[in-house]
Amino acid sequence: GLAAAEELRRLNFTGEITMLGGEKDAPYDRPACSKALLNGHARPQDVKLPIPPGLGLNWKLGRRAIDLDPVARRVWADSGETFDYDGLIVATGGRAVLPKGFPENVPGLYPLYTVDHAWAVRHELRNAERVAIVGGGLTGCEVACTVTQLAREAVIIDSKNHVMDRAVGQTAGELIRDDHLHHGIEMKL
C-alpha cells in the first residue's frame, strides 16, 4: 500500500490518498517478523518503514475493510465508517489463519504475522527448548531457521511432503526440505 501511494505521488497525482489499514501500526518490514524480531537483532520500532515527507497521506489505521461496493465506489470499515473513492488500490497482503479447530488465545500457541505476534513469540523463545511450526511455507521455514540459530529445536509440520510449495514448487521445495533436515530441522510432513 505504501509503495503504491509513493508511486502515485511520483507520477504527480495530487489528489487525496487515504490509507485504510487493519493494523494499528504504520507500515513495517513484515519479513522481519520471522527473522530479526525473533532473533533479537531488531525491536518493533526498528522495523518501521520510512515514510517519505510530503506524501500527504490520510492514515486510517486500526480499521479493517469489511465490504466494498464497486458501483457506488464505497468501502466500509469495521469501525462503522465508510470511505468513498474515485480510484481504489486493494493491497491487502495476507493474514495468519489458524488451522480449523485450533484453539485461539492459548499460552504457547501463536500465529505469526504482525509485529505484536513476533514480539510475543520472541519473549516465549527465551524459555523454549523445542518449537513446533505449523506450516512449511516461506515464513514457517524462516522461523525454523531462526529458531535453530537460537539453539532451540525446531520441527516443521505440513501436509505436503516438501516445504515452500507455493513459493518455489515441488522440486526446489524438496531440495530445501533436505537442506533443512541436514541442518537439524525436524520435519513432520
Side-chain angles (χ1 to χ4, degrees), residues 49-171:
L49 293 176
I51 299 174
L55 287 180
L57 304 178
N58 181 17
W59 291 96
K60 300 292 183 181
L61 299 175
R63 297 165 177 93
R64 191 171 57 87
I66 58 169
D67 202 359
L68 166 71
D69 183 341
V71 175
R73 294 181 173 222
R74 182 168 293 141
V75 173
W76 285 266
D78 60 356
S79 63
E81 297 167 280
T82 60
F83 299 92
D84 295 326
Y85 64 86
D86 296 316
L88 176 68
I89 296 172
V90 179
T92 57
R95 65 183 176 92
V97 178
L98 292 175
K100 187 176 182 174
F102 265 49
E104 294 187 44
N105 302 316
V106 174
L109 178 62
Y110 299 94
L112 182 59
Y113 184 67
T114 67
V115 168
D116 290 342
H117 293 154
W119 201 239
V121 172
R122 168 70 183 147
H123 288 287
E124 288 290 320
L125 283 174
R126 290 179 182 162
N127 299 316
E129 293 178 21
R130 183 171 167 82
V131 178
I133 299 132
V134 178
L138 179 60
T139 300
C141 287
E142 287 178 340
V143 170
C145 290
T146 300
V147 165
T148 57
Q149 289 168 358
L150 294 170
R152 279 39 172 199
E153 293 179 23
V155 57
I156 294 176
I157 303 165
D158 198 282
S159 61
K160 299 216 180 301
N161 67 355
H162 55 279
V163 295
M164 295 181 54
D165 186 64
R166 284 187 10 203
V168 299
Q170 182 174 347
T171 302

